[in-house]
Amino acid sequence: MSLSRRISIIAGSAALLLTASACSGMGRSTVGMLQFRGHDSPVELSYSNTPVKGCHKIAIPKGATHVVNHTLVDVVLYRTEDCRKADRADGIYVGTTLSNVTAPASLPWRSFSVIH
């Protein structure tokens, strides 16, 4: 193998490595929309392209009782504002393209996290 070919291979590998490491720092987000609504409320709140990392507070003053997941990822809903489980009933899983409604006597959802 000639020296110029080796240098070309090394330079190409280095460029590929730099490109891959630069892209890995980009924040990934959900593809699609999450829709939330409060109990008997006509107001609907939508989140689109939400980051997949972290806990996300649902910005409905009294919390959400209806959710529709129009994303390509699954989410977990919590009754606390910081994605912590308050009791065994918390941590409701809602798969992609599914919806959920709280039971009449239960507390509303206050936050969600993305399963990635």
Side-chain angles (χ1 to χ4, degrees), residues 17-110:
L17 181 62
L18 285 173
T19 302
S21 63
C23 290
S24 67
M26 295 171 60
R28 294 186 328 192
S29 62
T30 62
V31 176
M33 189 174 300
L34 281 164
Q35 295 174 310
F36 295 99
R37 188 168 47 90
H39 179 70
D40 293 335
S41 173
V43 177
E44 191 172 276
L45 176 66
S46 298
Y47 291 89
S48 63
N49 301 325
T50 307
V52 297
K53 291 186 177 183
C55 178
H56 307 282
K57 184 178 174 184
I58 299 171
I60 296 177
K62 294 183 180 179
T65 57
H66 299 77
V67 64
V68 180
N69 184 358
H70 292 292
T71 68
L72 298 178
V73 295
D74 302 336
V75 297
V76 177
L77 304 170
Y78 300 93
R79 300 190 194 288
T80 59
E81 292 184 352
D82 55 2
C83 294
R84 282 194 246 167
K85 293 183 179 183
D87 60 33
R88 296 179 121 181
D90 281 351
I92 304 299
Y93 175 88
V94 180
T96 182
T97 68
L98 297 177
S99 62
N100 203 324
V101 178
T102 62
S106 65
L107 296 172
W109 297 305
R110 302 285 186 176

